[in-house]
Amino acid sequence: MVREVVRGDTLIGIVQEMLDPQHAWQELAAFNELKRPDRIRPGSRLRIPAAWLKPVAVQAKVLNLNGEVRQGERVLKPGDALLEGQMLETGPDAVVTVELPDGSRLRIAPASAVRLERLRRYHDEQVIDAVIRLERGRVEAVAQPGRTRPFLIRSPHATAAVRGTEYRVGALDRVATTEVLTGAVAWSGTGPGAAVSAGFGSTADAQGKVSEPRPLLPAPDLRGLNRTVETVLSEIAFPAVEGATAYRIEVAADARFERPLLQSVATEPRVVLDSRQDGVHFVRVRGIDLLQLEGFDARAQVLVHARPIAPQPRQPANGQIYFDTAALLQWQPVAGVQGYRGQLADSADFSRILLERRLASPQWQVSASEVGEGARYWRVASVDAGGLAGPFGEVRRIEWRAIPMAPTVAIEGERITLHWQVPAGHDSLIELRWQGPAGELTRRHEIAATPQARSLSLPIDALPPGPASATISLTAPDRVPTPRSGAVGWVVPDPVRSLNGQPWSVGSGGLVGSPDR
């Protein structure tokens, strides 16, 4: 650096003010080739080696944190000052971002231990002399560019030295790692070191042997994650990265990932988002290779709109079928809500709403007369105290089916015939009952389905005279039978016969009842 001499300055005074005590005024005079060190003129300029400057310990500060982060017995909070020599430890789910006085930042990952081994400023230099000791875990560093002093991160097996870059260092079981995202890192162990440039990573084993730098894995494709989700717990898959054995997944409330919400390492390419709040969630993912080097980040934004939480359906079961009876739809109550919003539609995409209700209690009774026969779909959302409805929950299917009409009966003399309509694919079951002096007679007639709808007729013969009735039930292609129809009744005539045994054509009998349906 250069110091301009002002009136009243002496060489001894400048040395006492600015230089480390190990350096004397004679050294400064010799370095500047001063012939008369006892006479220095105001306005002249003295060159001072940066390495000679007097160091002053400075403080770092906690910028952001999530979870429990300790410095000794002290539980840290944002804004806390950190001194040279202090150790920071993060819990298994905790992350902390530390800012140094020159603007450089350290982001310390969960289950890590980091010592601020040296934090010093030399006179009025902006850039500080920083040595960080990573005992275990991982740390991401962004060192300010244009540094005049190195920024060192030491792990048990290797040291990363930079003068302005963005990189990561890991102290894992029996291996240290560094991954360089911008700039370059001088990576050294006990033997020959390596110059690791942007886009490459290197390891150091337990003996301090540094590996040849290798390319980092490319960023995953997270385009499918840019979406809105309406459940508290969501699972979103993304394409696998070739060469990745695992993935580091981070979720934060801010784009700089200084307010982390979730962190995990997964072996499958999917993000499990267990949101603790609504709003935009910032996601970043990177692949991890066989050597435990972590690749480039990919980023996405997931908008969570899951509150008030959607109710979970209780009954009826999905696909429940009803015949001319009302359906009682019920769901689990949600604590703290004002009520519920229910919808019923004729398709699972709810493009056409048949019925919508605001409901005070967790149930809703719906009849076929309100929505018609056929497959119907229902869902429910919670409504908060301000009247705002949240996302809809699980969609369930119910169906109303008609009970078949009773068959019609035609009587012509002694000939009795039943007639009815059959939908395509339905089996028919006719049940006959006859009551006479000898007791009750029952018959069953089964007619198999055909692919087409049709009209059927069934002759009824060999019934003794007396009252008779018939019902019909149908079995659909899914093998669900309908209830029996109403009964149609008639009297089997007892014809008056001529001398040759033939019935007279008088009194053809008649219906004694009409169909119930």
Side-chain angles (χ1 to χ4, degrees):
M1 68 168 293
V2 176
R3 163 70 186 270
E4 184 174 334
V5 177
V6 298
R7 185 175 297 276
D9 274 343
T10 65
L11 206 58
I12 293 175
I14 292 173
V15 168
Q16 290 176 342
E17 174 194 352
M18 297 185 62
L19 299 194
D20 190 283
Q22 64 180 315
H23 297 287
W25 66 267
Q26 292 90 343
E27 291 180 84
L28 184 59
F31 185 79
N32 284 274
E33 300 177 347
L34 298 177
K35 295 179 180 179
R36 294 290 303 270
D38 58 330
R39 294 183 180 180
I40 51 176
R41 297 178 180 177
S44 62
R45 297 164 69 85
L46 296 176
R47 294 177 295 112
I48 303 175
W52 294 10
L53 293 172
K54 180 188 297 184
V56 176
V58 294
Q59 297 180 350
K61 70 175 181 180
V62 176
L63 195 62
N64 285 294
L65 60 76
N66 183 69
E68 185 173 276
V69 181
R70 289 184 173 271
Q71 184 273 305
E73 296 299 316
R74 176 172 62 147
V75 177
L76 295 176
K77 62 184 184 299
D80 279 350
L82 301 169
L83 305 178
E84 180 180 277
Q86 290 184 333
M87 172 84 82
L88 282 70
E89 294 184 273
T90 57
D93 299 313
V95 178
V96 61
T97 300
V98 174
E99 186 174 56
L100 307 187
D102 63 1
S104 299
R105 293 186 180 189
L106 300 170
R107 185 174 183 276
I108 304 171
S112 298
V114 171
R115 184 179 299 279
L116 305 178
E117 196 166 281
R118 188 161 72 232
L119 297 175
R120 297 180 186 177
R121 188 189 302 281
Y122 289 81
H123 198 58
D124 58 353
E125 284 187 349
Q126 177 64 28
V127 175
I128 67 168
D129 181 8
V131 178
I132 310 301
R133 178 75 181 182
L134 175 62
E135 301 289 351
R136 68 173 184 276
R138 294 185 62 87
V139 62
E140 299 176 19
V142 178
Q144 288 291 77
R147 302 184 66 84
T148 56
R149 296 183 180 275
F151 185 104
L152 303 181
I153 298 182
R154 292 175 174 161
S155 74
H157 308 313
T159 298
V162 301
R163 290 185 182 273
T165 192
E166 183 177 356
Y167 65 110
R168 316 184 195 111
V169 177
L172 313 176
D173 290 341
R174 302 182 61 79
V175 66
T177 62
T178 189
E179 301 118 19
V180 182
L181 305 178
T182 62
V185 164
W187 181 238
S188 59
T190 56
V196 185
S197 57
F200 286 79
S202 177
T203 63
D205 63 18
Q207 288 72 46
K209 182 180 179 182
V210 170
S211 71
E212 190 71 23
R214 60 184 284 166
L216 300 179
L217 292 175
D221 180 0
L222 300 188
R223 287 175 294 181
L225 267 69
N226 292 304
R227 62 171 70 181
T228 298
V229 298
E230 295 185 338
T231 56
V232 172
L233 182 63
S234 305
E235 185 174 291
I236 311 172
F238 56 89
V241 174
E242 186 176 355
T245 59
Y247 301 88
R248 185 172 297 279
I249 298 166
E250 298 172 286
V251 182
D254 69 306
R256 298 180 69 168
F257 288 80
E258 293 174 349
R259 290 183 288 142
L261 301 173
L262 298 168
Q263 288 218 35
S264 64
V265 173
T267 56
E268 297 296 324
R270 57 175 53 89
V271 172
V272 178
L273 183 63
D274 187 1
S275 70
R276 300 167 191 172
Q277 61 190 49
D278 277 6
V280 177
H281 287 53
F282 297 87
V283 181
R284 69 178 179 182
V285 180
R286 55 182 176 259
I288 304 173
D289 68 15
L290 279 169
L291 297 183
Q292 300 189 64
L293 289 174
E294 302 193 1
F296 283 101
D297 289 326
R299 298 172 182 249
Q301 293 183 30
V302 179
L303 175 60
V304 177
H305 175 50
R307 293 165 178 84
I309 296 172
Q312 294 300 310
R314 288 177 55 193
Q315 66 176 28
N318 194 38
Q320 179 71 48
I321 297 170
Y322 293 89
F323 294 95
D324 273 6
T325 57
L328 183 61
L329 314 179
Q330 294 182 310
W331 50 91
Q332 295 285 355
V334 177
V337 301
Q338 181 188 79
Y340 306 93
R341 175 190 180 193
Q343 288 184 340
L344 198 140
D346 59 4
S347 63
D349 63 3
F350 284 77
S351 57
R352 191 166 73 100
I353 307 298
L354 302 178
L355 205 60
E356 184 163 359
R357 292 282 188 275
R358 284 292 182 103
L359 304 147
S361 62
Q363 63 181 27
W364 183 16
Q365 184 164 292
V366 183
S367 65
S369 62
E370 295 177 282
V371 294
E373 294 173 358
R376 300 291 181 257
Y377 301 84
W378 65 281
R379 63 185 184 182
V380 182
S382 298
V383 179
D384 66 16
L388 177 66
F392 286 100
E394 176 188 337
V395 175
R396 285 200 175 179
R397 179 182 182 274
I398 54 178
E399 184 177 352
W400 275 277
R401 295 181 182 178
I403 297 174
M405 300 289 293
T408 60
V409 59
I411 303 175
E412 298 178 0
E414 290 187 317
R415 184 177 180 84
I416 301 170
T417 307
L418 299 177
H419 303 280
W420 69 96
Q421 299 292 321
V422 182
H426 284 63
D427 296 335
S428 300
L429 173 62
I430 294 289
E431 293 186 81
L432 296 172
R433 282 181 172 79
W434 171 87
Q435 184 70 44
E440 185 176 79
L441 172 67
T442 302
R443 288 186 188 173
R444 293 165 58 91
H445 296 271
E446 296 182 18
I447 298 93
T450 62
Q452 297 81 29
R454 54 182 177 159
S455 298
L456 289 181
S457 299
L458 177 67
I460 304 298
D461 55 15
L463 283 180
S469 65
T471 60
I472 183 173
S473 62
L474 303 174
T475 300
D478 58 9
R479 310 316 301 161
V480 176
T482 68
R484 289 196 299 265
S485 69
V488 62
W490 69 95
V491 174
V492 178
D494 184 8
V496 179
R497 298 184 179 272
S498 62
L499 293 177
N500 61 7
Q502 296 299 314
W504 287 352
S505 56
V506 292
S508 60
L511 295 177
V512 295
S514 60
D516 294 338
R517 284 180 55 88

